[in-house]
Amino acid sequence: MARMNSASRHTVAMGAILMLLGVLLGAFGAHALKTRLSSEMLAVYQTGVQYHLLHALGLMLIGVLRHLQTGAMLLKASAWLMGFGVVLFSGSLYALAITNITMLGALTPVGGLFFIAAWVLAVWEMIRKN
């Protein structure tokens, strides 16, 4: 396999960094927050971790696809949307669970829309290339 270009490498690296953070935050929730949060807020936190990890893997996949589909601008946009989706969706759930400030939940659907848009762009890019 040819050496990855820098854009693809950076996308995969960002996904790997998000994976690392997701594992750390998951462990933090399972150990440090388990006794401090209500079961409802712990479930909110765990949902944030679940989507965080899944979309970090998705970001790594987008990086590999960017390597295989050079010049795929929709994949570049998909990567950005997926990364910001993790920050908004999971980040808002983490903050909501820890602070119980319900207004933070207003950011969660925006992050979810970013996830949806990221996947739509990835699908669109793959369909139009065939």
Side-chain angles (χ1 to χ4, degrees):
M1 179 188 278
R3 182 171 166 87
M4 278 187 151
N5 62 43
S6 66
S8 299
R9 266 194 332 274
H10 290 135
T11 304
V12 172
M14 183 53 65
I17 290 167
L18 286 175
M19 283 297 295
L20 170 64
L21 290 173
V23 170
L24 290 171
L25 289 167
F28 178 71
H31 298 287
L33 298 178
K34 186 176 182 180
T35 59
R36 295 181 181 174
L37 297 180
S38 68
S39 59
E40 180 184 339
M41 286 298 115
L42 191 58
V44 167
Y45 189 91
Q46 289 170 337
T47 298
V49 171
Q50 178 184 5
Y51 278 80
H52 183 146
L53 291 171
L54 288 171
H55 287 88
L57 279 174
L59 188 56
M60 294 174 75
L61 173 64
I62 296 297
V64 172
L65 291 174
R66 287 184 77 185
H67 171 69
L68 297 173
Q69 299 283 339
T70 57
M73 293 310 293
L74 293 179
L75 290 178
K76 179 180 180 180
S78 177
W80 280 102
L81 287 168
M82 203 164 291
F84 284 127
V86 169
V87 171
L88 290 174
F89 186 91
S90 295
S92 66
L93 291 180
Y94 298 145
L96 170 63
I98 292 169
T99 67
N100 211 19
I101 299 172
T102 56
M103 288 178 54
L104 293 169
L107 293 173
T108 308
V110 176
L113 289 173
F114 280 24
F115 287 153
I116 292 166
W119 288 114
V120 166
L121 291 180
V123 168
W124 188 4
E125 185 68 62
M126 291 301 101
I127 290 172
R128 76 183 192 137
K129 290 290 184 178
N130 290 324

